[in-house]
Amino acid sequence: METSLESASQIQIGDQLADPTEIRQLLQELIDPDRILIRPIERIAFASDASCYRLIPRAVIQPKTAEEIKHLFLFSHEHEIPLVFRAGGTSLSGQAITDGILVDIGRYWRNVRVEKNGQTIRVQPGLIGQQANNELRLYGRKIGPDPASIASCRMGGILSNNSSGMCCGVVQNAYHTLSSLTFILPSGTQIDTADLNADNIFHLLEPQLCKTLLKLKTKIEGNTALATRIRSKYKTKNTTGYSLNAFLDFDRAIDIFSHLIIGSEGTLAFIAEAVLKTVPDYPLKSTSLLLFPDLYAACSAIGAFTAAGAAALEVMDRASLRSVESQPGIMPYLKELPDAAAGLLVEFQAPNEAQRRDFEISATAVVATLTLQRPAEFTSDPVEQAKLWKIRKGMFPSVGAVRAAGTTALMEDIAIPVDRLAEAATDLRALFSKHGYDNAIIFGHAKDGNLHFVLTQGFNTEFEIGRYREFMDDVVEMVVGKYDGALKAEHGTGRNMAPFVETEWGPDAYRIMQELKAVTDPHNLLNPGVIVNADPLAHVSDLKQMPVVEPEVDKCIECGFCEHSCPSRDLTLTPRQRIVVRREMQRLKDSDAPDATYAALDCDFPYMALDTCAADGLCATDCPVQIDTGKLTKRFRTMRHSPMAAKIAETAARNFALAEFGARFALAAGHLIESTFGPNSMTAITRQFDRVSRKLFDAAFWKWSYPMPKPRRGKLPVQPREGADAVYYPACISRIMGALPGESEEPSNMQALLNIAGRAKIHLHIPRDLAGHCCGVPFSSKGFDAANNIAVNHTIESFYRWSDSGRLPILIDTSPCTYGLKTCRPQLTPENQQKFDKLRILDSVEYAQSTILPKLPIVRKLPSVALHPVCSASKMGIATKLTALAQSCSEEVVVPMEAGCCAFAGDRGFLHPELTASATQSEAAELESRPQDGYFSSSRTCEIGMTRATGKLYRSYLHLLDFASRP
């Protein structure tokens, strides 16, 4: 707890800096230059958050320590440069952008520790909310805030916006569950409020701030009308302005200020760490989507369900239900609802079965009084519950996905007295009609009187901007003037409501907010313009334009939900950032004269956006509208290939048997060279090849690095088709690669599968003419579409022949290859599509789990094993089957919480090993403290990547089954 800025005092005081290079030069003595990002592609990648606003920072800094944060504060003051902290950038209100210095906290500030047997949890601001809950799961606890974006948003945003969500209401939000806070003021003062002397130290180091806080407390308490208004407004959700209830809830300056920081949107201090009290995560839930004749009827049921003990009540108008009714897995009867219908998602949560039954009785009594479109059906099945919550959580992005190209999606949230909710919703729909927002939707947390509305809007013309401004004026008049509600219920004030804070709160409260900001940040450099903003048109300034680019990404709303699962997130760009940069390139290209910025982006885009994209498609699984930026990456890779390169790839596809032989020969030659000239000889040779290849062909070359597998030895174990139960197709990677260093040559993956099948008395047919067949993934991942088409058509033709016209199922021992062939139908000829439709292509994981394991005698188990579920297994929905197989063969199975794509991506781990190293670092760190007796996966290249990352030998899960069933 000290003020420590003297070490940075040598920085020259000067005028406001505009040149990013000069910023880097001045800061690089204090912060590692590698963490000072000034290239155009880096700055533009961070220019957008999930809001409708956009500002390009002069530099993006990624600090690691509190001392570096203090240096940045001083630098900001001396050079009059605004400073803004960003954790996840999922903000919907423009709180995480700046044209000054953007401080990226999401990269390094991710520590978490459960304390007091799960009663509290210590978190840093870069930690994702769901990661905190994952740590608490074993204790049956969770953090109080439960925003819909909890799988993507970070604790810094949850704290700074005082986020709430579906169930937490106003009693379990960040403000009310805060135990202690470590913060750093713009002056450089750092305080941990858990220190018993924190208040005394606060007074000692910040006397003027403490004096002002206590003066403002006295002023509020002496203004009966204002004190009454504050107490009243915080009985419901309200995040407009600063948390003025802190002045009434606490007496000590340190307690007042720490709670003012909650919900301050990064305008008062930097949150370095927080300790939160946790809440029970009740295991038993009962959920139903009730469908009403109209919105008024749905809202009228809220009081009864609240009294019955409902934990969540989510209201949805017909337009919002319509926005998701065509999505996969959504109940078909939603399409049959009349135009006036509305839904109410009701969930009860109980700690035990007795309580659950009581809730069920209460819910039944309430339902009996209602008129519904369909009979109520409450479910306790987690799968069915997930489907219901998918409807509610998918509404915002669904509207965004179907918007017109060139427009953006906006979501606002207001709070209205619950007894006037239906009336307010009706008024809101009238405003939509008045201003031409015909596709707008309404949904929200009805239990708290919290309505969200989503509309799509373009900002490319003055007319469109004017329409939005007039609409927002009417919304403010309705919410504040008619209903005395809150303009912001849970998303933070942001740029879009900052001009209206005084309108909602009145001049007395607003002057207190102004004085608070001024005494804490006297130079107004910490996230200026957010919360306190004198510009009445701030909400229509710095608006984000959305140029039309590729169809794959035009529907992206830049929400950032995809970022956590992206393997390159800590190395180059995330899927959202790829799209942001791509849009900027198009924006510049559409201008009269593309400038040097375009040239810089065009130069850096190939490596930052294309070469280091694993193209694994996991971004689509996290994206609410299933955008797969990997497809865009592959298309750009296709465009980069010369006609000669495409011809070479096609030749390789037609002569793949020769390619197999060449790969085995290369592995053998490499190991021979290493054994002759030393263990680093091949590494040095391939690095030279890489330099030459990049210079001559602008392409990377394979790097030899440990562990490199030996070539497969011996003949393929051919098995006849007569009496076969299935066809076994060993993927080309199994046919090429043998054992890793330190791994036994026998049995091979193929032999291990034959061993367990034999013990289960299952006969597998291995064809004689396997050589030359490929799943096409090595070609499709590089954008060689024609070569991929050749490969998959050849393989599917053979599959049809080998399987006796589809009579026998075909199992594949490498999950990425299985996925590639299961999804190859669009690349097939019409004739081969007919053959494909008769085939049953299975991953060996699913065949082993469903067919082999029930007949397999398990005679021994390993004490504990770690699994790495590959991304293709996750996309095929068989990762749980892999876990089930491992559980049958071991006492304990560990799937790291940070398990994700290893980014080996076929051969990308050989071309760009830095990508794999970055992608696996969190998973490897998690495993480091928990040694296991075995490490397994279902893809040879992924096993290589994880062996590199952890130093532990990863093998196919087939070896685990073989070991466990060996007589």
Side-chain angles (χ1 to χ4, degrees):
M1 297 184 180
E2 75 285 346
T3 303
S4 178
L5 293 175
E6 290 79 3
S7 61
S9 61
Q10 70 272 21
I11 296 176
Q12 292 183 347
I13 298 175
D15 296 331
Q16 192 181 66
L17 296 176
D19 180 28
T21 302
E22 190 176 358
I23 292 175
R24 183 172 187 172
Q25 289 173 345
L26 291 169
L27 275 174
Q28 63 185 1
E29 295 299 321
L30 304 168
I31 298 174
D32 185 345
D34 290 341
R35 293 185 280 113
I36 304 173
L37 312 182
I38 62 168
R39 288 187 298 163
I41 196 168
E42 295 165 329
R43 294 162 49 225
I44 288 167
F46 283 91
S48 299
D49 59 8
S51 73
C52 61
Y53 302 97
R54 177 177 180 272
L55 288 168
I56 299 176
R58 284 171 242 181
V60 178
I61 314 294
Q62 297 174 322
K64 286 185 175 182
T65 67
E67 289 305 309
E68 290 180 342
I69 297 291
K70 296 171 189 177
H71 294 324
L72 289 173
F73 272 130
L74 179 60
F75 187 84
S76 168
H77 295 160
E78 292 186 334
H79 297 281
E80 300 178 359
I81 303 177
L83 196 69
V84 172
F85 295 99
R86 173 188 289 185
T90 57
S91 162
L92 294 165
S93 304
Q95 300 101 314
I97 59 172
T98 181
D99 58 359
I101 292 177
L102 185 69
V103 185
D104 174 25
I105 297 303
R107 178 68 180 275
Y108 295 109
W109 297 70
R110 302 173 181 171
N111 290 342
V112 57
R113 186 171 74 236
V114 176
E115 300 177 340
K116 297 181 180 178
N117 199 31
Q119 296 301 303
T120 62
I121 186 169
R122 185 178 299 271
V123 297
Q124 286 189 320
L127 184 77
I128 292 174
Q130 186 59 54
Q131 291 173 324
N133 282 341
N134 290 342
E135 295 288 337
L136 290 165
R137 186 174 296 143
L138 291 176
Y139 302 88
R141 311 285 293 181
K142 63 179 182 177
I143 61 172
D146 59 342
S149 60
I150 196 167
S152 307
C153 66
R154 299 178 186 258
M155 293 306 305
I158 289 173
L159 295 163
S160 294
N161 293 322
N162 194 22
S163 300
S164 47
M166 272 78 71
C167 300
C168 84
V170 295
V171 296
Q172 293 183 344
N173 58 18
Y175 178 97
H176 287 289
T177 58
L178 180 69
S179 177
S180 67
L181 199 66
T182 299
F183 61 84
I184 304 175
L185 289 166
S187 64
T189 295
Q190 177 178 340
I191 292 184
D192 180 357
T193 66
D195 191 310
L196 295 178
N197 293 316
D199 192 53
N200 293 333
I201 296 172
F202 192 31
H203 277 273
L204 177 65
L205 298 179
E206 298 289 341
Q208 185 58 45
L209 174 55
C210 291
K211 180 180 178 182
T212 302
L213 290 170
L214 296 177
K215 182 190 74 173
L216 294 176
K217 174 180 174 62
T218 301
K219 182 182 293 187
I220 291 172
E221 290 176 335
N223 186 332
T224 304
L226 178 57
T228 301
R229 179 164 177 75
I230 291 171
R231 290 191 177 97
S232 174
K233 284 183 72 66
Y234 285 103
K235 290 179 181 178
T236 59
K237 285 188 177 183
N238 174 27
T239 59
T240 309
Y242 291 113
S243 303
L244 296 183
N245 48 334
F247 288 107
L248 298 174
D249 293 343
F250 302 97
D251 296 320
R252 298 193 310 164
I254 190 65
D255 297 323
I256 294 171
F257 190 71
S258 62
H259 286 79
L260 283 166
I261 291 175
I262 302 299
S264 66
E265 302 172 44
T267 64
L268 297 180
F270 168 67
I271 298 174
E273 188 176 73
V275 177
L276 297 177
K277 293 171 283 188
T278 63
V279 301
D281 184 13
Y282 293 134
L284 300 178
K285 298 176 175 65
S286 185
T287 315
S288 180
L289 175 60
L290 306 181
L291 299 171
F292 292 81
D294 53 47
L295 191 60
Y296 187 87
C299 291
S300 298
I302 293 169
F305 277 115
T306 300
L313 293 167
E314 299 292 307
V315 70
M316 295 161 272
D317 72 352
R318 182 66 184 95
S320 63
L321 292 170
R322 189 176 294 115
S323 73
V324 297
E325 65 185 18
S326 298
Q327 290 187 6
I330 301 300
M331 295 76 76
Y333 56 74
L334 290 186
K335 294 183 178 181
E336 303 170 2
L337 292 174
D339 290 343
L344 189 66
L345 182 63
V346 182
E347 181 167 282
F348 293 87
Q349 301 176 358
N352 52 57
E353 185 60 32
Q355 181 69 71
R356 191 197 66 79
R357 285 196 298 269
D358 289 344
F359 281 146
E360 190 176 77
I361 293 170
S362 299
T364 301
V366 175
V367 168
T369 67
L370 305 175
T371 301
L372 300 175
Q373 296 294 109
R374 290 177 56 87
E377 296 180 3
F378 280 85
T379 179
S380 298
D381 182 353
V383 175
E384 295 302 314
Q385 290 172 334
K387 290 181 182 179
L388 296 177
W389 279 107
K390 179 181 177 182
I391 294 173
R392 163 60 184 86
K393 293 182 179 181
M395 289 177 173
F396 170 49
S398 296
V399 171
V402 298
R403 74 191 190 283
T407 64
T408 190
L410 296 89
M411 180 162 73
E412 280 300 339
D413 71 309
I414 58 176
I416 302 293
V418 175
D419 59 352
R420 302 190 71 184
L421 203 60
E423 183 185 355
T426 302
D427 287 347
L428 198 52
R429 291 228 65 90
L431 291 183
F432 294 157
S433 298
K434 175 182 176 181
H435 295 280
Y437 294 109
D438 300 327
N439 63 348
I441 67 171
I442 299 173
F443 58 93
H445 314 309
K447 183 180 176 183
D448 301 305
N450 180 190
L451 291 179
H452 299 315
F453 61 88
V454 180
L455 51 89
T456 60
Q457 166 81 50
F459 293 116
N460 298 325
T461 67
E462 288 300 322
F463 171 79
E464 286 294 302
I465 295 173
R467 178 170 72 126
Y468 177 68
R469 183 175 64 246
E470 292 170 3
F471 169 73
M472 290 305 299
D473 287 344
D474 282 352
V475 168
V476 172
E477 175 58 33
M478 181 198 80
V479 174
V480 177
K482 183 173 182 179
Y483 295 105
D484 193 24
L487 292 169
K488 299 293 290 190
E490 60 179 6
H491 292 168
T493 307
R495 298 175 183 275
N496 48 354
M497 284 301 179
F500 308 109
V501 174
E502 184 174 6
T503 303
E504 176 178 332
W505 274 103
D508 289 347
Y510 190 62
R511 277 194 293 270
I512 289 170
M513 295 182 191
Q514 288 176 309
E515 192 169 351
L516 171 65
K517 172 67 173 174
V519 71
T520 309
D521 179 27
H523 303 290
N524 192 30
L525 292 171
L526 185 54
N527 210 359
V530 174
I531 297 185
V532 174
N533 195 323
D535 182 1
L537 298 179
H539 61 306
V540 288
S541 303
D542 304 310
L543 294 165
K544 183 190 298 180
Q545 295 182 352
M546 303 286 274
V548 177
V549 283
E550 286 76 27
E552 297 97 326
V553 299
D554 277 338
K555 59 184 179 179
C556 173
I557 55 176
E558 299 179 7
C559 64
F561 287 9
C562 58
E563 294 192 321
H564 174 61
S565 63
C566 177
S568 60
R569 63 187 180 274
D570 290 335
L571 179 68
T572 50
L573 301 179
T574 67
R576 170 170 65 171
Q577 291 174 330
R578 286 181 175 89
I579 293 171
V580 167
V581 171
R582 178 69 190 96
R583 282 173 169 162
E584 177 65 10
M585 292 175 71
Q586 189 64 48
R587 192 180 289 115
L588 291 170
K589 193 173 182 180
D590 290 343
S591 65
D592 294 337
D595 58 9
T597 300
Y598 181 87
L601 295 178
D602 192 46
C603 177
D604 290 333
F605 192 78
Y607 175 76
M608 296 284 285
L610 305 180
D611 294 344
T612 52
C613 175
D616 57 9
L618 282 185
C619 49
T621 65
D622 286 336
C623 174
V625 291
Q626 293 83 50
I627 297 173
D628 184 354
T629 53
K631 292 181 178 179
L632 176 67
T633 295
K634 292 175 183 178
R635 187 142 72 87
F636 272 91
R637 287 174 182 170
T638 300
M639 294 167 60
R640 291 173 68 191
H641 295 317
S642 66
M644 178 61 71
K647 288 292 183 183
I648 292 173
E650 291 172 37
T651 301
R654 289 192 179 95
N655 301 276
F656 198 75
L658 185 61
E660 288 182 53
F661 174 79
R664 286 196 299 272
F665 179 81
L667 287 174
H671 280 286
L672 178 61
I673 291 172
E674 281 211 322
S675 65
T676 304
F677 298 102
N680 296 321
S681 54
M682 278 299 296
T683 301
I685 291 171
T686 54
R687 282 179 180 172
Q688 290 300 322
F689 280 149
D690 182 59
R691 292 190 185 98
V692 173
S693 179
R694 289 177 185 273
K695 186 174 181 179
L696 296 181
F697 308 111
D698 191 27
F701 189 83
W702 276 30
K703 284 89 171 171
W704 186 283
S705 59
Y706 181 87
M708 188 64 74
K710 298 175 182 178
R712 180 192 59 80
R713 300 185 185 280
K715 295 182 179 180
L716 292 174
V718 174
Q719 300 286 319
R721 188 169 70 184
E722 184 179 357
D725 298 293
V727 177
Y728 171 28
Y729 168 71
C732 64
I733 205 75
S734 298
R735 305 194 305 266
I736 293 171
M737 292 183 176
L740 290 174
E743 182 181 9
S744 173
E745 293 279 355
E746 294 296 337
S748 65
N749 287 1
M750 288 180 280
Q751 190 58 54
L753 179 52
L754 290 175
N755 289 347
I756 62 173
R759 291 172 196 141
K761 299 188 175 358
I762 293 172
H763 177 51
L764 300 179
H765 166 45
I766 300 181
R768 292 182 178 277
D769 54 340
L770 281 173
H773 291 86
C774 176
C775 64
V777 171
F779 301 109
S780 66
S781 65
K782 295 181 178 63
F784 290 114
D785 294 339
N788 174 61
N789 294 348
I790 292 169
V792 296
N793 275 280
H794 177 50
T795 300
I796 292 300
E797 287 173 357
S798 295
F799 275 10
Y800 188 74
R801 174 168 49 84
W802 293 338
S803 66
D804 192 14
S805 304
R807 180 179 63 85
L808 297 175
I810 300 166
L811 57 139
I812 304 170
D813 61 6
T814 303
S815 295
C817 302
T818 310
Y819 182 78
L821 287 166
K822 276 192 171 188
T823 57
C824 74
R825 192 181 190 280
Q827 286 74 50
L828 300 176
T829 64
E831 181 183 0
N832 284 335
Q833 286 182 346
Q834 293 180 12
K835 294 178 179 178
F836 177 89
D837 293 339
K838 296 178 182 180
L839 298 175
R840 286 178 293 159
I841 300 174
L842 303 173
D843 191 85
S844 63
V845 168
E846 52 189 326
Y847 188 81
Q849 193 268 340
S850 64
T851 306
I852 297 178
L853 183 61
K855 303 175 183 179
L856 190 66
I858 301 298
V859 297
R860 64 179 62 82
K861 292 186 177 185
L862 283 177
S864 64
V865 301
L867 292 183
H868 173 74
V870 302
C871 48
S872 49
S874 298
K875 289 189 290 185
M876 290 187 289
I878 63 172
T880 55
K881 297 180 185 293
L882 178 62
T883 302
L885 286 170
Q887 287 171 336
S888 70
C889 304
S890 58
E891 301 296 339
E892 180 187 15
V893 176
V894 174
V895 179
M897 287 187 286
E898 289 301 304
C901 178
C902 70
F904 216 93
D907 66 349
R908 198 130 303 252
F910 293 128
L911 294 169
H912 298 285
E914 71 277 15
L915 174 61
T916 299
S918 178
T920 54
Q921 59 185 348
S922 295
E923 185 175 355
E926 188 175 339
L927 287 168
E928 186 176 5
S929 60
R930 306 174 65 182
Q932 306 297 318
D933 298 290
Y935 299 80
F936 301 96
S937 189
S938 61
S939 166
R940 192 53 163 166
T941 51
C942 297
E943 291 154 22
I944 295 171
M946 290 305 301
T947 300
R948 280 186 188 175
T950 63
K952 307 293 185 182
L953 180 62
Y954 272 77
R955 309 182 74 193
S956 170
Y957 75 96
L958 294 169
H959 293 283
L960 176 61
L961 287 172
D962 184 34
F963 166 81
S965 61
R966 192 179 304 150

